[in-house]
Amino acid sequence: MRTRFAPSPTGPLHLGHAFSAITAFDLARAKGGEFLLRIEDTDRARSKPAFEQAIHDDLGWLGLSWPKPVWRQSERLHLYEAAIEDLIAKDLVYPCSCSRADIQSALSAPQEGVTHLPPDAHVYPGTCRGRPILSRRKTDALRLDLAKALNLTGPQPFEEIGPLHPGLHQWSHARLQAEIGDIVLYRRDIQAAAYHLSVVVDDAAQGITYVIRGMDLFEATPIQRILQTLLSLPTPIYHHHRLIRDETGKRLAKRDDARALSRYRAEGLTPGDIREEIGLAHPDCTAVNDTSH
């Protein structure tokens, strides 16, 4: 068994990050496996060395350990580009010049629907679909032509062992196209591969067998399974855990500095206090306690 925690160094870690990292660490520990840390820093404008160091400090304080050196996505950009070239060779990618305003305008048209679902907030209406890859400009994003991809792979199943939706899941063609659509593979704003592509490439390269992450990414899994199949990558088992929320029921974000782990540490709390705060069992347990939600 091999699990991982893969934060972006764009802000301080909070209680939600602690829950995810500890859950992945405890599951690997209980099964005699290995826990890895990976830094997802492709957004160079927002990634800061101080935040990256704080990730190491916070996780070390929690009692987590991992092999060194740690993988950083900014050092692996050529591998994501190779994966995109593979998909281009299969005629599955097209350039997209649409801005967010363009997409919102198209989705607001009477004949279109607006779908507020992960992984990309709005389902792309297909404005640029069919553009030849040779027409690509430096300012273009690159999108996966989902219909063409499904012609090659069909919907791909995934096994979920998390407590909220355990079992085997497989979305239909219609649901994939209605709720996910043509995802971005290459982001023009950061001039780098998008999350869905980089995460499947890295999980495969690191031999991750169990992907432990928050329930907010559950609906990203079907499209990531398709990318794994298209790129001939192995399929991990998934464990999507509950989210840590504030008193109003809103899930935590990096802007919630009041719940930053560094603040708890400065106030004299212990790693055991953090575990109690987020409802996880003692590290000497033999199973992950993730049953409350």
Side-chain angles (χ1 to χ4, degrees):
M1 171 181 284
R2 183 174 285 174
T3 67
R4 50 77 168 170
F5 177 58
S8 299
T10 56
L13 297 186
H14 53 61
L15 289 177
H17 294 114
F19 187 97
S20 193
I22 292 173
T23 299
F25 180 82
D26 284 0
L27 184 58
R29 185 175 183 271
K31 301 294 186 180
E34 187 175 36
F35 167 82
L36 303 181
L37 173 64
R38 184 171 74 227
I39 302 298
E40 298 193 341
D41 61 343
T42 53
D43 189 341
R44 304 306 296 156
R46 297 175 60 225
S47 296
K48 306 297 181 185
F51 290 139
E52 186 171 335
Q53 182 58 52
I55 289 170
H56 289 261
D57 295 343
D58 288 340
L59 297 180
W61 172 69
L62 289 173
L64 279 56
S65 59
W66 53 89
K68 310 287 191 307
V70 170
W71 283 23
R72 302 170 74 243
Q73 285 190 335
S74 59
E75 299 168 351
R76 297 173 48 77
L77 300 181
H78 63 290
L79 297 173
Y80 313 137
E81 291 170 3
I84 290 175
E85 289 300 323
D86 186 343
L87 297 174
I88 288 175
K90 295 181 170 74
D91 191 29
L92 299 174
V93 176
Y94 62 88
C96 176
S97 60
C98 297
S99 66
R100 291 184 179 181
D102 293 334
I103 295 171
Q104 185 62 50
S105 176
L107 289 169
S108 298
Q111 71 272 18
E112 301 285 355
V114 180
T115 306
H116 298 274
L117 287 173
D120 288 325
H122 301 296
V123 174
Y124 181 63
T127 307
C128 289
R129 189 183 300 128
R131 269 188 63 193
I133 195 66
L134 292 177
S135 70
R136 177 187 181 185
R137 297 182 294 263
K138 187 176 181 179
T139 55
D140 286 340
L142 293 177
R143 290 184 178 274
L144 177 72
D145 189 319
L146 180 59
K148 287 184 177 180
L150 285 171
N151 285 338
L152 291 179
T153 69
Q156 293 295 299
F158 64 95
E159 182 180 354
E160 169 68 28
I161 64 168
L164 304 181
H165 298 289
L168 192 67
H169 297 265
Q170 183 171 347
W171 288 21
S172 67
H173 281 74
R175 186 177 180 186
L176 286 162
Q177 292 177 319
E179 298 185 12
I180 294 181
D182 294 356
I183 61 162
V184 171
L185 299 174
Y186 180 90
R187 291 173 53 183
R188 62 181 179 178
D189 56 337
I190 63 173
Q191 292 290 292
Y195 166 75
H196 301 300
L197 181 75
S198 59
V199 73
V200 299
V201 170
D202 285 344
D203 283 343
Q206 289 192 296
I208 302 302
T209 59
Y210 284 74
V211 170
I212 316 295
R213 59 191 185 186
M215 193 60 204
D216 54 325
L217 288 170
F218 179 83
E219 294 187 21
T221 310
I223 193 64
Q224 291 174 10
R225 280 290 297 111
I226 290 172
L227 289 174
Q228 287 162 358
T229 302
L230 290 172
L231 296 169
S232 300
L233 301 177
T235 305
I237 294 172
Y238 291 88
H239 176 124
H240 291 88
H241 56 70
R242 61 185 172 90
L243 302 177
I244 303 298
R245 302 181 181 276
D246 63 17
E247 296 81 0
T248 68
K250 183 179 178 181
R251 73 182 183 94
L252 300 186
K254 287 181 178 176
R255 60 182 173 272
D256 296 311
D257 288 345
R259 293 173 176 79
L261 297 182
S262 56
R263 287 203 175 189
Y264 287 103
R265 186 166 73 250
E267 292 169 1
L269 273 71
T270 68
D273 294 330
I274 297 299
R275 282 180 172 269
E276 183 175 352
E277 179 75 16
I278 59 181
L280 284 178
H282 188 272
D284 289 338
C285 69
T286 57
V288 175
N289 178 13
D290 181 23
T291 57
S292 60
H293 53 280

